[in-house]
Amino acid sequence: MPLVPPAEVLQRAELVLLTVPDDALPGLVSGLAETGAVRPGQLLVHTSGRYGTKVLDPALRAGALPLALHPAMTFTGSPVDVQRLAGCSFGVTAPRSCGWPPRPW
């Protein structure tokens, strides 16, 4: 399968996983939103342990549905990480403006 530019990947995708190093995430989100790559209604998810959903605000303003997906594990950068994900718990957060939680707790 041929490689395509990031903007084209976003154009084709309903769900976008941003799995970049923590330091790269704010600039990536801002750049994608500024270039119009983010579409209204598109799910935009990051896995950074450093950030909540606030880092996705530029995408939210562009109409995306932002989520923060936090695996409860430390990544080593080795192939064993994929195996460890199978039994891993995740925390998921979304901004209240997206309607989550659906009712008061």
Side-chain angles (χ1 to χ4, degrees), residues 14-30:
E14 293 180 29
L15 168 65
V16 179
L17 297 175
L18 303 176
T19 57
V20 298
D22 291 348
D23 293 340
L25 186 60
L28 175 62
V29 174
S30 294

Side-chain angles (χ1 to χ4, degrees), residues 26-42 44 53-67 95 97-98:
L28 175 62
V29 174
S30 294
L32 292 172
E34 288 169 10
T35 62
V38 178
R39 294 190 328 266
Q42 190 172 45
L44 199 69
T53 58
K54 195 95 174 130
V55 72
L56 298 173
D57 278 356
L60 177 63
R61 288 190 294 274
L65 302 172
L67 296 172
S97 61
C98 288

Side-chain angles (χ1 to χ4, degrees), residues 69-95:
L69 182 64
H70 303 287
M73 66 177 264
T74 300
F75 288 88
T76 64
S78 69
V80 74
D81 289 345
V82 175
Q83 295 167 351
R84 292 175 52 223
L85 276 173
C88 182
S89 297
F90 287 79
V92 180
T93 56

